[in-house]
Amino acid sequence: MAVFWLCGLICAIWSASLPAINARLHLGEGRIGLVLLLTALGSMACMPVAGRLADVWSSRAVLRVIAPIAALALLGPALAPSFPMLLVSAFVLGGTLGSLDVAMNAQAVEVETRYGRSIMSTFHGVWSLGGVVGGLTITVGLHLDTSGTALMIGASTVAAIMFLLPGKHLLTGKAQSKKSGEPVASSGGLPTLTIMLLGLVALAGFVSEGAGYSWASLHAEEMLGADPATASFAYTVFAAALTVTRLTADRLRSKVDPASWMRLAGSVAVLGYALVLVAPLLPSGRLAFGLAGWVVVAAGLATVVPAIFSAVGAGGANVGRALSWVTTMAYAGQLGGPAVIGPLADVTSLGVAMLVPGLLAAAIAIAGPIAIRRTTAKQLVAV
């Protein structure tokens, strides 16, 4: 949990520092977009490598090395003297963060296996809490007239040191049976088709979730008639509901069949998007109805990606490889989602564009249980 919290903090420090970097290097929106693209490409390029290394060396070994390096990689954008150097440092930062993402989720799978019940959603909820702290750190620091560069350097150094503290508690080796203490049976890993199906479900989850983060506030302003200050509350409501659900859903999730839970999660998200789509058509109470819709969307989507990661862990050996490809596909969805929703909203309306994440939520409800059952069947064959 400490590792997830620190990773969320680093990601938030990076995102919240972009305005300060923009002001220092006079970039503009187009160049900032290119910086973010290079960051994502760096992540996607390094994730498969990190997965292979986690299988060969163990997630513990990779995590202990890459975590402090990822924190120190913040120094690159903080000190970049020019736009080209910023692009290079953004790619490196993305690569280290992507590697950290794979290694810490592989380690979380190991911990969850030994713990004996679902706790993956809690890990991701703690990541979100780290993001809140990171964002507040930059906000408070800038209001105290501390330079953005100094804040990034300080956060990078402190986070790198803090990453060393939980290192000795990380797990290594095969998962142990709770009753006998003997290694759990392991297979040769998930088939490629199953990995791809899990990756597609994770992609759908990232696009649907990203729609809430990226478009909820704008939807409230354009489609529900909210003023800008009130519209921004839609983002807060969505993010808070997502975090709270992740922190509280694991105990309930552990009591439900994984495939049934995935169907339920996707169905709840579909219901939420239905409320969001209907809200602009109401004669009154549109904003309240729309906000309620975003809460329901968040409650449904909050456990989708963590449940997929748990399913990968149930698939046997080579968890790092499988997890890296699932994560890479999910990040591809994070990149491609805005590229689809934005142009569609320009041609039609943002209300119509919300059909895309709504349909993807339906795809989660249909394809998610199939993907989960394939991993469960693989696990039963292994045992």
Side-chain angles (χ1 to χ4, degrees), residues 6-7 9-11 13-14 63-80 88-97 100 149 151-164:
L6 285 167
C7 182
L9 183 142
I10 292 173
C11 292
I13 292 287
W14 163 237
L63 190 53
R64 292 184 71 173
V65 172
I66 199 61
I69 293 176
L72 292 175
L74 275 174
L75 295 175
L79 301 174
V88 173
S89 61
F91 185 88
V92 172
L93 176 63
T96 57
L97 288 176
L100 172 58
T149 299
L151 288 170
M152 291 185 72
I153 292 173
S156 172
T157 305
V158 171
I161 295 172
M162 292 180 69
F163 265 127
L164 299 176

Side-chain angles (χ1 to χ4, degrees), residues 8-377:
L9 183 142
I10 292 173
C11 292
I13 292 287
W14 163 237
S15 297
S17 297
L18 286 173
I21 295 174
N22 181 32
R24 178 169 62 86
L25 297 178
H26 309 289
L27 299 175
E29 293 181 355
R31 287 185 171 186
I32 285 290
L34 190 56
V35 169
L36 293 175
L37 176 62
L38 263 292
T39 307
L41 290 177
S43 293
M44 294 175 64
C46 293
M47 282 176 174
V49 178
R52 292 284 186 181
L53 293 177
D55 287 334
V56 174
W57 294 344
S58 82
S59 59
R60 178 179 189 250
V62 175
L63 190 53
R64 292 184 71 173
V65 172
I66 199 61
I69 293 176
L72 292 175
L74 275 174
L75 295 175
L79 301 174
S82 63
F83 176 58
M85 289 301 298
L86 178 62
L87 290 179
V88 173
S89 61
F91 185 88
V92 172
L93 176 63
T96 57
L97 288 176
S99 300
L100 172 58
D101 197 308
V102 170
M104 72 181 187
N105 277 290
Q107 179 71 191
V109 165
E110 181 79 13
V111 173
E112 184 177 63
T113 301
R114 297 195 188 193
Y115 196 72
R117 69 173 178 84
S118 300
I119 52 174
M120 187 66 71
S121 294
T122 302
F123 284 125
H124 286 252
V126 171
W127 184 96
S128 298
L129 292 179
V132 171
V133 174
L136 288 175
T137 298
I138 295 296
T139 300
V140 173
L142 292 177
H143 275 87
L144 295 176
D145 294 327
T146 308
S147 73
T149 299
L151 288 170
M152 291 185 72
I153 292 173
S156 172
T157 305
V158 171
I161 295 172
M162 292 180 69
F163 265 127
L164 299 176
L165 300 180
K168 63 181 180 180
H169 299 293
L170 298 176
L171 299 177
T172 187
K174 293 183 180 294
Q176 302 293 315
S177 168
K178 288 183 66 179
K179 293 183 179 180
S180 66
E182 297 177 354
V184 174
S186 173
S187 70
L190 293 172
T192 300
L193 181 60
T194 302
I195 294 174
M196 294 298 103
L197 184 57
L198 289 167
L200 288 173
V201 175
L203 182 152
F206 263 53
V207 174
S208 299
E209 182 182 323
Y213 278 121
S214 301
W215 303 103
S217 295
L218 192 60
H219 181 271
E221 182 178 4
E222 291 189 2
M223 305 304 300
L224 305 180
D227 60 84
T230 305
S232 65
F233 187 60
Y235 171 91
T236 304
V237 165
F238 179 82
L242 198 79
T243 302
V244 170
T245 303
R246 282 179 172 163
L247 290 173
T248 58
D250 271 331
R251 189 169 294 277
L252 178 61
R253 187 164 72 91
S254 65
K255 298 178 180 179
V256 180
D257 171 68
S260 299
W261 181 269
M262 186 64 70
R263 183 184 298 107
L264 174 63
S267 300
V268 170
V270 170
L271 174 60
Y273 271 113
L275 296 177
V276 170
L277 289 166
V278 169
L281 307 177
L282 299 178
S284 61
R286 291 180 295 172
L287 180 60
F289 203 81
L291 292 177
W294 286 117
V295 169
V296 176
V297 168
L301 295 175
T303 59
V304 169
V305 173
I308 290 294
F309 288 170
S310 294
V312 172
N318 299 324
V319 170
R321 167 185 167 272
L323 194 59
S324 67
W325 282 111
V326 169
T327 308
T328 300
M329 293 179 69
Y331 269 65
Q334 198 172 39
L335 279 176
V340 174
I341 295 175
L344 180 60
D346 285 337
V347 174
T348 56
S349 70
L350 191 54
V352 173
M354 287 300 102
L355 283 169
V356 172
L359 291 173
L360 288 175
I364 292 171
I366 297 171
I370 298 174
I372 298 295
R373 288 195 191 98
R374 288 179 67 92
T375 62
T376 304

